[in-house]
Amino acid sequence: MELEPIKVGLLGLGTVGAGCVNLLKDNAEEIERRAGRKIQITHAAVRDLSKERPCDTSGIRMTANPMEVVEDPEVKVVLELIGGDEEAFDLVMAAIDSGKHVVTANKHLIALRGNEIFAAADEKDRVVHFEAAVAGGIPIIRAIREGLAANTIEWLAGIINGTGNYILTQMSNEGETFADALAEAQRLGYAEADPTFDVEGIDAAHKLAILASIAFGIPLSFDKISTDGISKIADEEIQFAEEMGYRIKHLGIARRNDRGVELRVHPTLVSDQALLASVEGEKNAVMVYGDAVGPTVYYGAGAGAGPTASAVIADLIDIVRIVSADASGRVPHLAFQPDQLSESPIVDSDDFFCGHYFRIQVADEPGVMARITGLLAQFGVSIEHILQKDPENAGDDALVIIVTKPVREGLLMQALEHIQQEAFAREGTVHLRVAQFDD
Ligand code: NAP
Ligand code: HSE
């Protein structure tokens, strides 16, 4: 017997929402074959009803009141694609309350309010899927939650913000300015409504909170993530790093160490031979190390209409399958059973363990280099690379650029503090971290 089409309500018809309408239309036949029945977008809420949409809205009831969509008894699944963590939260909770399943691409919402949302969904026996919230079109949540479920995950690291990676790539390959590259990322639909989320690392931290929770079975811990963005990366850093065989990538890193879990998001030097170094433009890549499987890598488009819609619609198909069959066997939202979350401490940045890059301007005098290397040695910091440059418009000063071997961050910081207190040291030391992965 043929099942009735399932009716879906859309909240938001911007880059991702319109991408979803187009994808459902373009691949309707294939999607129906996978889902087992037709899927119809019947309702859509937007802010501005007069705006032209890059998709066919015929047959869709348009409204400027999203609650109307959420409360309509015809709608069985709500796709939340408006963003933010306030109105979106109220809408998602109302949707769950009125018995609807939810798909969201909103990492901000999941990272900050996921615990409340999942509890409400469990209470009502509803599904909330959020594959598109992390790494756009890459099915990284399913990979960790299901594909790697037999492993103890030791670490994961990746490029998880498409806008940031696009900007760094354009600066490095095309010599574009930061501002121009950001404007282009916005035009292409990669950036968040507030692009400071992209360039200050907040968006990546939202995503890392979700990945770490799924990987390690810890509560969503956005506020404990050490977060730094790319906005302060100067052209010189890109150039000096490249001279020493590195590329600067903005990474999210979650790693178990003997004191707990490191959670950090920051610009990072990676060897130009490393896999992550070759990830360019809006592409994302996530490496996940499981104790049984070893290193695994997931690569693809991390932002944009098509890739994000790919993940949203896959979630929708999964829900349609559940609705059409039996919901009891579904996978827990954060991979682990809700009562099985552990309280692993999130370690302080002093206990991070990695290599470091720093650039310091110094008086170009005899003995300065020896004093710097001596202080590093005193704190147990070994040097991997060292470079001296003459800065422009800085008289007799020199620039010393050093890449260290991996060391506990607290020790490096103490050494750096001592170096900065020396009379030869000028203000404005630049510090970045270096990552090394067994890929
Ligand atoms: P967008 O282009 O700005 O679209 C947002 C849509 O939501 C617009 O159609 C807007 O209406 C509508 N909207 C906003 N507030 C509303 C309200 N109060 N009531 C009704 N409609 C409202 O954003 P987007 O890029 O599609 O992103 C949507 C979500 O997906 C965000 O959570 C984002 O983080 C996430 N995401 C985006 C990407 C990407 O590549 N863009 C990738 C992964 C995840 P109007 O059009 O009338 O203004
Ligand atoms: N602004 C986000 C990014 C969208 O650039 O990665 C995808 O989550």
Side-chain angles (χ1 to χ4, degrees), residues 391-426:
E392 280 171 29
N393 309 322
D396 290 335
D397 281 2
L399 282 181
V400 175
I401 301 129
I402 290 182
V403 172
T404 76
K405 292 190 188 296
V407 61
R408 206 171 67 77
E409 188 157 320
L411 292 174
L412 184 276
M413 286 310 193
Q414 283 181 56
L416 209 47
E417 218 173 283
H418 278 74
I419 293 170
Q420 280 164 327
Q421 280 163 7
E422 294 285 329
F424 59 71
R426 312 288 185 232

PDB file of all heavy atoms in Angstrom, residues 391-426:
ATOM      1  N   PRO A 391      62.889  43.258   9.774  1.00  0.00           N
ATOM      2  CA  PRO A 391      61.564  43.838   9.553  1.00  0.00           C
ATOM      3  C   PRO A 391      61.663  45.169   8.817  1.00  0.00           C
ATOM      4  O   PRO A 391      62.692  45.842   8.912  1.00  0.00           O
ATOM      5  CB  PRO A 391      61.028  44.047  10.969  1.00  0.00           C
ATOM      6  CG  PRO A 391      62.240  44.174  11.821  1.00  0.00           C
ATOM      7  CD  PRO A 391      63.355  43.415  11.159  1.00  0.00           C
ATOM      8  N   GLU A 392      60.559  45.496   8.121  1.00  0.00           N
ATOM      9  CA  GLU A 392      60.550  46.786   7.422  1.00  0.00           C
ATOM     10  C   GLU A 392      60.358  47.915   8.424  1.00  0.00           C
ATOM     11  O   GLU A 392      59.642  47.748   9.415  1.00  0.00           O
ATOM     12  CB  GLU A 392      59.388  46.815   6.420  1.00  0.00           C
ATOM     13  CG  GLU A 392      59.725  46.077   5.140  1.00  0.00           C
ATOM     14  CD  GLU A 392      58.515  45.917   4.255  1.00  0.00           C
ATOM     15  OE1 GLU A 392      57.625  46.778   4.335  1.00  0.00           O
ATOM     16  OE2 GLU A 392      58.486  44.924   3.511  1.00  0.00           O
ATOM     17  N   ASN A 393      60.955  49.058   8.192  1.00  0.00           N
ATOM     18  CA  ASN A 393      60.794  50.262   9.011  1.00  0.00           C
ATOM     19  C   ASN A 393      61.023  50.025  10.497  1.00  0.00           C
ATOM     20  O   ASN A 393      60.286  50.539  11.322  1.00  0.00           O
ATOM     21  CB  ASN A 393      59.374  50.840   8.850  1.00  0.00           C
ATOM     22  CG  ASN A 393      58.998  51.001   7.411  1.00  0.00           C
ATOM     23  OD1 ASN A 393      59.838  51.371   6.597  1.00  0.00           O
ATOM     24  ND2 ASN A 393      57.748  50.707   7.085  1.00  0.00           N
ATOM     25  N   ALA A 394      62.012  49.213  10.850  1.00  0.00           N
ATOM     26  CA  ALA A 394      62.229  48.980  12.280  1.00  0.00           C
ATOM     27  C   ALA A 394      63.687  49.152  12.659  1.00  0.00           C
ATOM     28  O   ALA A 394      64.193  48.483  13.554  1.00  0.00           O
ATOM     29  CB  ALA A 394      61.714  47.596  12.649  1.00  0.00           C
ATOM     30  N   GLY A 395      64.387  50.051  11.974  1.00  0.00           N
ATOM     31  CA  GLY A 395      65.762  50.414  12.325  1.00  0.00           C
ATOM     32  C   GLY A 395      66.656  49.196  12.424  1.00  0.00           C
ATOM     33  O   GLY A 395      66.712  48.381  11.516  1.00  0.00           O
ATOM     34  N   ASP A 396      67.313  49.060  13.589  1.00  0.00           N
ATOM     35  CA  ASP A 396      68.269  47.972  13.766  1.00  0.00           C
ATOM     36  C   ASP A 396      67.642  46.718  14.351  1.00  0.00           C
ATOM     37  O   ASP A 396      68.341  45.792  14.733  1.00  0.00           O
ATOM     38  CB  ASP A 396      69.404  48.442  14.691  1.00  0.00           C
ATOM     39  CG  ASP A 396      70.276  49.474  13.976  1.00  0.00           C
ATOM     40  OD1 ASP A 396      70.307  49.446  12.724  1.00  0.00           O
ATOM     41  OD2 ASP A 396      70.889  50.306  14.672  1.00  0.00           O
ATOM     42  N   ASP A 397      66.361  46.700  14.473  1.00  0.00           N
ATOM     43  CA  ASP A 397      65.718  45.521  15.054  1.00  0.00           C
ATOM     44  C   ASP A 397      65.742  44.329  14.104  1.00  0.00           C
ATOM     45  O   ASP A 397      65.924  44.484  12.894  1.00  0.00           O
ATOM     46  CB  ASP A 397      64.247  45.831  15.395  1.00  0.00           C
ATOM     47  CG  ASP A 397      64.145  46.619  16.698  1.00  0.00           C
ATOM     48  OD1 ASP A 397      65.209  46.930  17.288  1.00  0.00           O
ATOM     49  OD2 ASP A 397      63.017  46.914  17.122  1.00  0.00           O
ATOM     50  N   ALA A 398      65.530  43.176  14.696  1.00  0.00           N
ATOM     51  CA  ALA A 398      65.403  41.949  13.885  1.00  0.00           C
ATOM     52  C   ALA A 398      64.135  41.218  14.321  1.00  0.00           C
ATOM     53  O   ALA A 398      63.643  41.423  15.439  1.00  0.00           O
ATOM     54  CB  ALA A 398      66.611  41.050  14.123  1.00  0.00           C
ATOM     55  N   LEU A 399      63.640  40.372  13.423  1.00  0.00           N
ATOM     56  CA  LEU A 399      62.511  39.510  13.786  1.00  0.00           C
ATOM     57  C   LEU A 399      63.064  38.112  13.986  1.00  0.00           C
ATOM     58  O   LEU A 399      63.787  37.601  13.125  1.00  0.00           O
ATOM     59  CB  LEU A 399      61.487  39.450  12.650  1.00  0.00           C
ATOM     60  CG  LEU A 399      60.546  40.619  12.474  1.00  0.00           C
ATOM     61  CD1 LEU A 399      59.597  40.327  11.315  1.00  0.00           C
ATOM     62  CD2 LEU A 399      59.736  40.863  13.747  1.00  0.00           C
ATOM     63  N   VAL A 400      62.716  37.506  15.109  1.00  0.00           N
ATOM     64  CA  VAL A 400      63.112  36.117  15.331  1.00  0.00           C
ATOM     65  C   VAL A 400      61.839  35.279  15.292  1.00  0.00           C
ATOM     66  O   VAL A 400      60.864  35.589  15.990  1.00  0.00           O
ATOM     67  CB  VAL A 400      63.818  35.956  16.699  1.00  0.00           C
ATOM     68  CG1 VAL A 400      64.117  34.484  16.969  1.00  0.00           C
ATOM     69  CG2 VAL A 400      65.083  36.793  16.722  1.00  0.00           C
ATOM     70  N   ILE A 401      61.857  34.269  14.438  1.00  0.00           N
ATOM     71  CA  ILE A 401      60.679  33.408  14.295  1.00  0.00           C
ATOM     72  C   ILE A 401      61.106  31.998  14.667  1.00  0.00           C
ATOM     73  O   ILE A 401      62.073  31.458  14.115  1.00  0.00           O
ATOM     74  CB  ILE A 401      60.157  33.450  12.841  1.00  0.00           C
ATOM     75  CG1 ILE A 401      59.790  34.904  12.484  1.00  0.00           C
ATOM     76  CG2 ILE A 401      58.943  32.563  12.665  1.00  0.00           C
ATOM     77  CD1 ILE A 401      60.392  35.374  11.227  1.00  0.00           C
ATOM     78  N   ILE A 402      60.398  31.437  15.626  1.00  0.00           N
ATOM     79  CA  ILE A 402      60.804  30.117  16.134  1.00  0.00           C
ATOM     80  C   ILE A 402      59.608  29.163  16.110  1.00  0.00           C
ATOM     81  O   ILE A 402      58.492  29.540  16.473  1.00  0.00           O
ATOM     82  CB  ILE A 402      61.359  30.241  17.577  1.00  0.00           C
ATOM     83  CG1 ILE A 402      62.707  30.974  17.518  1.00  0.00           C
ATOM     84  CG2 ILE A 402      61.506  28.870  18.235  1.00  0.00           C
ATOM     85  CD1 ILE A 402      63.429  31.145  18.828  1.00  0.00           C
ATOM     86  N   VAL A 403      59.854  27.956  15.665  1.00  0.00           N
ATOM     87  CA  VAL A 403      58.861  26.885  15.801  1.00  0.00           C
ATOM     88  C   VAL A 403      59.464  25.873  16.766  1.00  0.00           C
ATOM     89  O   VAL A 403      60.607  25.445  16.595  1.00  0.00           O
ATOM     90  CB  VAL A 403      58.556  26.227  14.435  1.00  0.00           C
ATOM     91  CG1 VAL A 403      57.666  24.995  14.626  1.00  0.00           C
ATOM     92  CG2 VAL A 403      57.865  27.216  13.504  1.00  0.00           C
ATOM     93  N   THR A 404      58.693  25.536  17.798  1.00  0.00           N
ATOM     94  CA  THR A 404      59.218  24.609  18.815  1.00  0.00           C
ATOM     95  C   THR A 404      58.737  23.191  18.553  1.00  0.00           C
ATOM     96  O   THR A 404      57.761  22.989  17.823  1.00  0.00           O
ATOM     97  CB  THR A 404      58.760  25.001  20.234  1.00  0.00           C
ATOM     98  OG1 THR A 404      57.375  24.619  20.391  1.00  0.00           O
ATOM     99  CG2 THR A 404      58.907  26.490  20.486  1.00  0.00           C
ATOM    100  N   LYS A 405      59.372  22.253  19.195  1.00  0.00           N
ATOM    101  CA  LYS A 405      58.848  20.875  19.213  1.00  0.00           C
ATOM    102  C   LYS A 405      57.689  20.844  20.212  1.00  0.00           C
ATOM    103  O   LYS A 405      57.556  21.760  21.031  1.00  0.00           O
ATOM    104  CB  LYS A 405      59.950  19.915  19.653  1.00  0.00           C
ATOM    105  CG  LYS A 405      61.069  19.793  18.630  1.00  0.00           C
ATOM    106  CD  LYS A 405      61.991  18.641  19.007  1.00  0.00           C
ATOM    107  CE  LYS A 405      63.223  18.593  18.130  1.00  0.00           C
ATOM    108  NZ  LYS A 405      62.980  18.327  16.729  1.00  0.00           N
ATOM    109  N   PRO A 406      56.843  19.792  20.170  1.00  0.00           N
ATOM    110  CA  PRO A 406      55.717  19.745  21.109  1.00  0.00           C
ATOM    111  C   PRO A 406      56.189  19.839  22.565  1.00  0.00           C
ATOM    112  O   PRO A 406      57.185  19.226  22.937  1.00  0.00           O
ATOM    113  CB  PRO A 406      55.083  18.376  20.822  1.00  0.00           C
ATOM    114  CG  PRO A 406      55.459  18.086  19.409  1.00  0.00           C
ATOM    115  CD  PRO A 406      56.829  18.666  19.232  1.00  0.00           C
ATOM    116  N   VAL A 407      55.451  20.638  23.337  1.00  0.00           N
ATOM    117  CA  VAL A 407      55.821  20.884  24.736  1.00  0.00           C
ATOM    118  C   VAL A 407      54.544  21.258  25.491  1.00  0.00           C
ATOM    119  O   VAL A 407      53.584  21.716  24.876  1.00  0.00           O
ATOM    120  CB  VAL A 407      56.879  22.030  24.803  1.00  0.00           C
ATOM    121  CG1 VAL A 407      56.319  23.331  24.239  1.00  0.00           C
ATOM    122  CG2 VAL A 407      57.391  22.253  26.209  1.00  0.00           C
ATOM    123  N   ARG A 408      54.541  21.066  26.795  1.00  0.00           N
ATOM    124  CA  ARG A 408      53.380  21.493  27.576  1.00  0.00           C
ATOM    125  C   ARG A 408      53.282  23.021  27.474  1.00  0.00           C
ATOM    126  O   ARG A 408      54.286  23.731  27.657  1.00  0.00           O
ATOM    127  CB  ARG A 408      53.531  21.052  29.031  1.00  0.00           C
ATOM    128  CG  ARG A 408      52.194  20.867  29.756  1.00  0.00           C
ATOM    129  CD  ARG A 408      52.392  20.221  31.105  1.00  0.00           C
ATOM    130  NE  ARG A 408      53.108  21.100  32.017  1.00  0.00           N
ATOM    131  CZ  ARG A 408      52.577  22.145  32.645  1.00  0.00           C
ATOM    132  NH1 ARG A 408      51.312  22.442  32.483  1.00  0.00           N
ATOM    133  NH2 ARG A 408      53.305  22.892  33.447  1.00  0.00           N
ATOM    134  N   GLU A 409      52.057  23.513  27.169  1.00  0.00           N
ATOM    135  CA  GLU A 409      51.908  24.940  26.858  1.00  0.00           C
ATOM    136  C   GLU A 409      52.324  25.845  28.023  1.00  0.00           C
ATOM    137  O   GLU A 409      52.863  26.933  27.836  1.00  0.00           O
ATOM    138  CB  GLU A 409      50.465  25.231  26.427  1.00  0.00           C
ATOM    139  CG  GLU A 409      50.292  26.631  25.918  1.00  0.00           C
ATOM    140  CD  GLU A 409      49.095  26.788  24.996  1.00  0.00           C
ATOM    141  OE1 GLU A 409      48.856  25.890  24.173  1.00  0.00           O
ATOM    142  OE2 GLU A 409      48.405  27.806  25.117  1.00  0.00           O
ATOM    143  N   GLY A 410      52.090  25.395  29.252  1.00  0.00           N
ATOM    144  CA  GLY A 410      52.452  26.195  30.424  1.00  0.00           C
ATOM    145  C   GLY A 410      53.944  26.523  30.419  1.00  0.00           C
ATOM    146  O   GLY A 410      54.352  27.642  30.765  1.00  0.00           O
ATOM    147  N   LEU A 411      54.772  25.538  30.041  1.00  0.00           N
ATOM    148  CA  LEU A 411      56.229  25.754  30.027  1.00  0.00           C
ATOM    149  C   LEU A 411      56.612  26.765  28.955  1.00  0.00           C
ATOM    150  O   LEU A 411      57.424  27.667  29.180  1.00  0.00           O
ATOM    151  CB  LEU A 411      56.948  24.420  29.769  1.00  0.00           C
ATOM    152  CG  LEU A 411      56.845  23.396  30.902  1.00  0.00           C
ATOM    153  CD1 LEU A 411      57.460  22.071  30.478  1.00  0.00           C
ATOM    154  CD2 LEU A 411      57.557  23.931  32.154  1.00  0.00           C
ATOM    155  N   LEU A 412      56.011  26.596  27.768  1.00  0.00           N
ATOM    156  CA  LEU A 412      56.311  27.529  26.675  1.00  0.00           C
ATOM    157  C   LEU A 412      55.953  28.952  27.091  1.00  0.00           C
ATOM    158  O   LEU A 412      56.705  29.900  26.876  1.00  0.00           O
ATOM    159  CB  LEU A 412      55.526  27.091  25.435  1.00  0.00           C
ATOM    160  CG  LEU A 412      55.705  27.831  24.107  1.00  0.00           C
ATOM    161  CD1 LEU A 412      54.867  29.064  23.974  1.00  0.00           C
ATOM    162  CD2 LEU A 412      57.177  28.140  23.780  1.00  0.00           C
ATOM    163  N   MET A 413      54.777  29.091  27.727  1.00  0.00           N
ATOM    164  CA  MET A 413      54.310  30.429  28.109  1.00  0.00           C
ATOM    165  C   MET A 413      55.246  31.066  29.138  1.00  0.00           C
ATOM    166  O   MET A 413      55.509  32.269  29.096  1.00  0.00           O
ATOM    167  CB  MET A 413      52.878  30.359  28.652  1.00  0.00           C
ATOM    168  CG  MET A 413      51.874  30.134  27.544  1.00  0.00           C
ATOM    169  SD  MET A 413      52.171  31.314  26.213  1.00  0.00           S
ATOM    170  CE  MET A 413      50.755  31.167  25.249  1.00  0.00           C
ATOM    171  N   GLN A 414      55.748  30.235  30.068  1.00  0.00           N
ATOM    172  CA  GLN A 414      56.693  30.784  31.062  1.00  0.00           C
ATOM    173  C   GLN A 414      57.969  31.261  30.366  1.00  0.00           C
ATOM    174  O   GLN A 414      58.482  32.344  30.650  1.00  0.00           O
ATOM    175  CB  GLN A 414      57.054  29.715  32.083  1.00  0.00           C
ATOM    176  CG  GLN A 414      55.963  29.472  33.116  1.00  0.00           C
ATOM    177  CD  GLN A 414      56.406  28.406  34.116  1.00  0.00           C
ATOM    178  OE1 GLN A 414      57.450  28.550  34.752  1.00  0.00           O
ATOM    179  NE2 GLN A 414      55.626  27.358  34.224  1.00  0.00           N
ATOM    180  N   ALA A 415      58.461  30.451  29.428  1.00  0.00           N
ATOM    181  CA  ALA A 415      59.686  30.829  28.703  1.00  0.00           C
ATOM    182  C   ALA A 415      59.450  32.127  27.930  1.00  0.00           C
ATOM    183  O   ALA A 415      60.264  33.056  27.973  1.00  0.00           O
ATOM    184  CB  ALA A 415      60.095  29.706  27.753  1.00  0.00           C
ATOM    185  N   LEU A 416      58.275  32.200  27.288  1.00  0.00           N
ATOM    186  CA  LEU A 416      57.948  33.372  26.470  1.00  0.00           C
ATOM    187  C   LEU A 416      57.852  34.633  27.345  1.00  0.00           C
ATOM    188  O   LEU A 416      58.305  35.717  26.970  1.00  0.00           O
ATOM    189  CB  LEU A 416      56.619  33.096  25.759  1.00  0.00           C
ATOM    190  CG  LEU A 416      56.395  33.761  24.413  1.00  0.00           C
ATOM    191  CD1 LEU A 416      57.588  33.617  23.493  1.00  0.00           C
ATOM    192  CD2 LEU A 416      55.150  33.158  23.738  1.00  0.00           C
ATOM    193  N   GLU A 417      57.268  34.440  28.525  1.00  0.00           N
ATOM    194  CA  GLU A 417      57.138  35.578  29.450  1.00  0.00           C
ATOM    195  C   GLU A 417      58.523  36.115  29.823  1.00  0.00           C
ATOM    196  O   GLU A 417      58.761  37.327  29.833  1.00  0.00           O
ATOM    197  CB  GLU A 417      56.420  35.090  30.704  1.00  0.00           C
ATOM    198  CG  GLU A 417      55.464  36.092  31.284  1.00  0.00           C
ATOM    199  CD  GLU A 417      54.695  35.455  32.414  1.00  0.00           C
ATOM    200  OE1 GLU A 417      53.769  34.677  32.112  1.00  0.00           O
ATOM    201  OE2 GLU A 417      55.045  35.705  33.582  1.00  0.00           O
ATOM    202  N   HIS A 418      59.442  35.185  30.123  1.00  0.00           N
ATOM    203  CA  HIS A 418      60.811  35.605  30.469  1.00  0.00           C
ATOM    204  C   HIS A 418      61.470  36.302  29.285  1.00  0.00           C
ATOM    205  O   HIS A 418      62.145  37.319  29.461  1.00  0.00           O
ATOM    206  CB  HIS A 418      61.648  34.397  30.903  1.00  0.00           C
ATOM    207  CG  HIS A 418      61.417  34.027  32.334  1.00  0.00           C
ATOM    208  ND1 HIS A 418      60.269  33.409  32.766  1.00  0.00           N
ATOM    209  CD2 HIS A 418      62.182  34.232  33.433  1.00  0.00           C
ATOM    210  CE1 HIS A 418      60.331  33.222  34.076  1.00  0.00           C
ATOM    211  NE2 HIS A 418      61.484  33.716  34.513  1.00  0.00           N
ATOM    212  N   ILE A 419      61.273  35.769  28.091  1.00  0.00           N
ATOM    213  CA  ILE A 419      61.897  36.386  26.905  1.00  0.00           C
ATOM    214  C   ILE A 419      61.361  37.801  26.732  1.00  0.00           C
ATOM    215  O   ILE A 419      62.110  38.751  26.479  1.00  0.00           O
ATOM    216  CB  ILE A 419      61.627  35.525  25.646  1.00  0.00           C
ATOM    217  CG1 ILE A 419      62.358  34.192  25.757  1.00  0.00           C
ATOM    218  CG2 ILE A 419      62.023  36.261  24.368  1.00  0.00           C
ATOM    219  CD1 ILE A 419      61.985  33.165  24.696  1.00  0.00           C
ATOM    220  N   GLN A 420      60.024  37.930  26.913  1.00  0.00           N
ATOM    221  CA  GLN A 420      59.413  39.251  26.695  1.00  0.00           C
ATOM    222  C   GLN A 420      59.869  40.284  27.726  1.00  0.00           C
ATOM    223  O   GLN A 420      59.783  41.473  27.491  1.00  0.00           O
ATOM    224  CB  GLN A 420      57.888  39.132  26.687  1.00  0.00           C
ATOM    225  CG  GLN A 420      57.410  38.623  25.343  1.00  0.00           C
ATOM    226  CD  GLN A 420      55.981  38.122  25.397  1.00  0.00           C
ATOM    227  OE1 GLN A 420      55.536  37.591  26.409  1.00  0.00           O
ATOM    228  NE2 GLN A 420      55.264  38.290  24.307  1.00  0.00           N
ATOM    229  N   GLN A 421      60.328  39.780  28.898  1.00  0.00           N
ATOM    230  CA  GLN A 421      60.796  40.734  29.928  1.00  0.00           C
ATOM    231  C   GLN A 421      62.219  41.234  29.674  1.00  0.00           C
ATOM    232  O   GLN A 421      62.700  42.155  30.327  1.00  0.00           O
ATOM    233  CB  GLN A 421      60.730  40.065  31.302  1.00  0.00           C
ATOM    234  CG  GLN A 421      59.314  40.073  31.866  1.00  0.00           C
ATOM    235  CD  GLN A 421      59.157  39.077  32.999  1.00  0.00           C
ATOM    236  OE1 GLN A 421      60.132  38.473  33.439  1.00  0.00           O
ATOM    237  NE2 GLN A 421      57.929  38.899  33.448  1.00  0.00           N
ATOM    238  N   GLU A 422      62.925  40.590  28.744  1.00  0.00           N
ATOM    239  CA  GLU A 422      64.304  41.008  28.447  1.00  0.00           C
ATOM    240  C   GLU A 422      64.297  42.411  27.808  1.00  0.00           C
ATOM    241  O   GLU A 422      63.362  42.748  27.063  1.00  0.00           O
ATOM    242  CB  GLU A 422      64.956  40.028  27.474  1.00  0.00           C
ATOM    243  CG  GLU A 422      65.167  38.635  28.055  1.00  0.00           C
ATOM    244  CD  GLU A 422      66.337  38.569  29.046  1.00  0.00           C
ATOM    245  OE1 GLU A 422      67.305  39.336  28.878  1.00  0.00           O
ATOM    246  OE2 GLU A 422      66.258  37.762  29.996  1.00  0.00           O
ATOM    247  N   ALA A 423      65.361  43.180  28.057  1.00  0.00           N
ATOM    248  CA  ALA A 423      65.421  44.551  27.529  1.00  0.00           C
ATOM    249  C   ALA A 423      65.431  44.573  26.010  1.00  0.00           C
ATOM    250  O   ALA A 423      64.986  45.539  25.388  1.00  0.00           O
ATOM    251  CB  ALA A 423      66.675  45.239  28.073  1.00  0.00           C
ATOM    252  N   PHE A 424      65.940  43.509  25.389  1.00  0.00           N
ATOM    253  CA  PHE A 424      66.033  43.509  23.920  1.00  0.00           C
ATOM    254  C   PHE A 424      64.689  43.235  23.242  1.00  0.00           C
ATOM    255  O   PHE A 424      64.546  43.408  22.046  1.00  0.00           O
ATOM    256  CB  PHE A 424      67.069  42.478  23.438  1.00  0.00           C
ATOM    257  CG  PHE A 424      66.781  41.047  23.859  1.00  0.00           C
ATOM    258  CD1 PHE A 424      65.732  40.318  23.315  1.00  0.00           C
ATOM    259  CD2 PHE A 424      67.592  40.436  24.808  1.00  0.00           C
ATOM    260  CE1 PHE A 424      65.489  39.020  23.693  1.00  0.00           C
ATOM    261  CE2 PHE A 424      67.344  39.129  25.206  1.00  0.00           C
ATOM    262  CZ  PHE A 424      66.278  38.413  24.646  1.00  0.00           C
ATOM    263  N   ALA A 425      63.680  42.793  24.015  1.00  0.00           N
ATOM    264  CA  ALA A 425      62.415  42.355  23.397  1.00  0.00           C
ATOM    265  C   ALA A 425      61.471  43.535  23.215  1.00  0.00           C
ATOM    266  O   ALA A 425      61.309  44.364  24.111  1.00  0.00           O
ATOM    267  CB  ALA A 425      61.755  41.289  24.259  1.00  0.00           C
ATOM    268  N   ARG A 426      60.857  43.605  22.034  1.00  0.00           N
ATOM    269  CA  ARG A 426      59.845  44.647  21.766  1.00  0.00           C
ATOM    270  C   ARG A 426      58.449  44.077  22.014  1.00  0.00           C
ATOM    271  O   ARG A 426      58.270  42.872  22.117  1.00  0.00           O
ATOM    272  CB  ARG A 426      59.930  45.107  20.311  1.00  0.00           C
ATOM    273  CG  ARG A 426      61.335  45.421  19.826  1.00  0.00           C
ATOM    274  CD  ARG A 426      61.854  46.711  20.448  1.00  0.00           C
ATOM    275  NE  ARG A 426      63.149  47.075  19.896  1.00  0.00           N
ATOM    276  CZ  ARG A 426      64.227  47.355  20.620  1.00  0.00           C
ATOM    277  NH1 ARG A 426      64.190  47.319  21.932  1.00  0.00           N
ATOM    278  NH2 ARG A 426      65.364  47.691  20.031  1.00  0.00           N
TER     279      ARG A 426
END
